[in-house]
Amino acid sequence: MSAFIYAATRTPFGRFNGALAGVRPDDLAAAGITSTLAKVPGLDHAAIDDVVWGNANGAGEENRNVGRMAALLAGLPVSVPGTTVNRLCGSSLDAAMIASRTIESGDADVVLTGGVESMTRAPWVLPKSAKPFPAGDVTAVSTTLGWRLVNPRMPKEWTVSLGEANEQLQERYGISRERQDEFAARSHQLAYAAWESGFYDDLVVPVEGADLTRDEGIRAGSTPQVLAGLKPVFRTPEQGGTITAGNASPLNDGASAVLLGSERAAATIGADPIARIAGRGVMALEPQAFGYAPVEAANRALARAGIGWDQVGAVELNEAFAVQSLACLDAWKIDPALVNQKGGAIAIGHPLGASGGRILATLAKVLRETKQRYGVAAICIGVGQGLAVVLENCGTTEAAQ
């Protein structure tokens, strides 16, 4: 038995402290559920076997199992269960992978997946003291991004900042600042062109009450020359710094949702499947090497799908940083033109828990638009992990059972 994608949407991705800053993450998640289910009006919501939802932070308003909270807020029957998974940046791709295994095992026929992150609304946290009434000051720790409340037993080389980890990656693989800026400018230009062409019109649904209809961070006028004027953030130029605010993904708010089902669920859902989950892969490396982890994750997913890179017609690789994206492309030895044809996270944004669902839905639509049979969705994950999924386009061939 195989698992298929039947419908998908996402919210526009807002910038940090931008147009979605006033929307709670559980409400963002509910909006993703509502808009995706609106695509399959014939589905009785009571037939949804489970909701599997991704979220990376979980320290604020999305606490206490946001998957279940979002299902309730979206008006699903109380009989529909929900769970929340946390694989940091890969959380919503992990959610889809978990759901696909559940469907393949026969334990479910219809599973709603997705993910959410409001990096704007991620709170500061205060650790509890070991003793009551401490006399000294206590530091509030931001939960927006990166390491926090680090266990002192962790080796220091593991706990460097995400940016420093990727500066190490560019040193190891010799990826120049110029290549990074060119890749980043391409992301903005392709994302803008995709919006102008109408590609995202049926994938992105505005959030009620928020004045945002398109991804907020896209800059149509971005060029390598403009990006070259930005200063490195994590190292000085004298230290060989190459990573800037322009060639790395920003902080964002947003949600995505993907409806999965078995082949026999088509009658229940009232729609034909879009793409089949053909292979899955997961990989782990040293925490500071996280940007390179998608390389082997994708290779494993392809092996499990029984195909090679020569059969892949499209790739959606989440752009956490331009440098790690380029390192992956170089390792795969693929045509860069196949990658992120509708823009990537550097332009569109990277609300951690939502990004996996975004790339999976975008890939499914790109495959249908280009009439390619196979595609790969891959994502790097903080603390040294990577995930990948191979999709088979149901529009080009009868998907394997």
Side-chain angles (χ1 to χ4, degrees), residues 124-201:
W124 295 281
V125 298
L126 288 173
K128 290 183 176 178
S129 62
K131 297 180 181 179
F133 311 118
D137 295 334
V138 179
T139 300
V141 179
S142 173
T143 63
T144 296
L145 181 70
W147 293 90
R148 76 288 303 251
L149 304 176
V150 179
N151 191 315
R153 294 174 54 223
M154 284 281 187
K156 291 191 180 302
E157 62 268 24
W158 288 0
T159 62
V160 297
S161 72
L162 303 180
E164 170 57 27
N166 278 272
E167 288 287 16
Q168 294 178 16
L169 201 64
Q170 68 86 10
E171 282 185 323
R172 186 177 309 152
Y173 294 104
I175 297 171
S176 68
R177 165 76 185 269
E178 290 72 24
R179 283 190 71 195
Q180 295 177 53
D181 287 345
E182 289 169 1
F183 185 85
R186 172 185 182 268
S187 183
H188 284 277
Q189 292 161 7
L190 290 178
Y192 178 76
W195 271 107
E196 289 295 295
S197 72
F199 176 86
Y200 285 117
D201 288 354

Side-chain angles (χ1 to χ4, degrees), residues 4 40 67 71 96 166 177 224 240 253 261 351 364 394 398:
F4 297 84
V40 286
N166 278 272
R177 165 76 185 269
D253 309 328
C394 292
E398 183 177 350

Side-chain angles (χ1 to χ4, degrees), residues 51-55 62 64-69 82-86:
V51 173
V52 186
W53 208 257
N55 179 247
E62 75 276 50
R64 302 289 291 170
N65 190 1
V66 69
R68 171 64 170 167
M69 301 298 183
T83 188
T84 300
V85 299
N86 184 351

Side-chain angles (χ1 to χ4, degrees), residues 245-264:
N247 58 34
S249 61
L251 306 178
N252 296 95
D253 309 328
S256 64
V258 182
L259 182 68
L260 276 71
S262 63
E263 183 188 21
R264 66 189 179 197

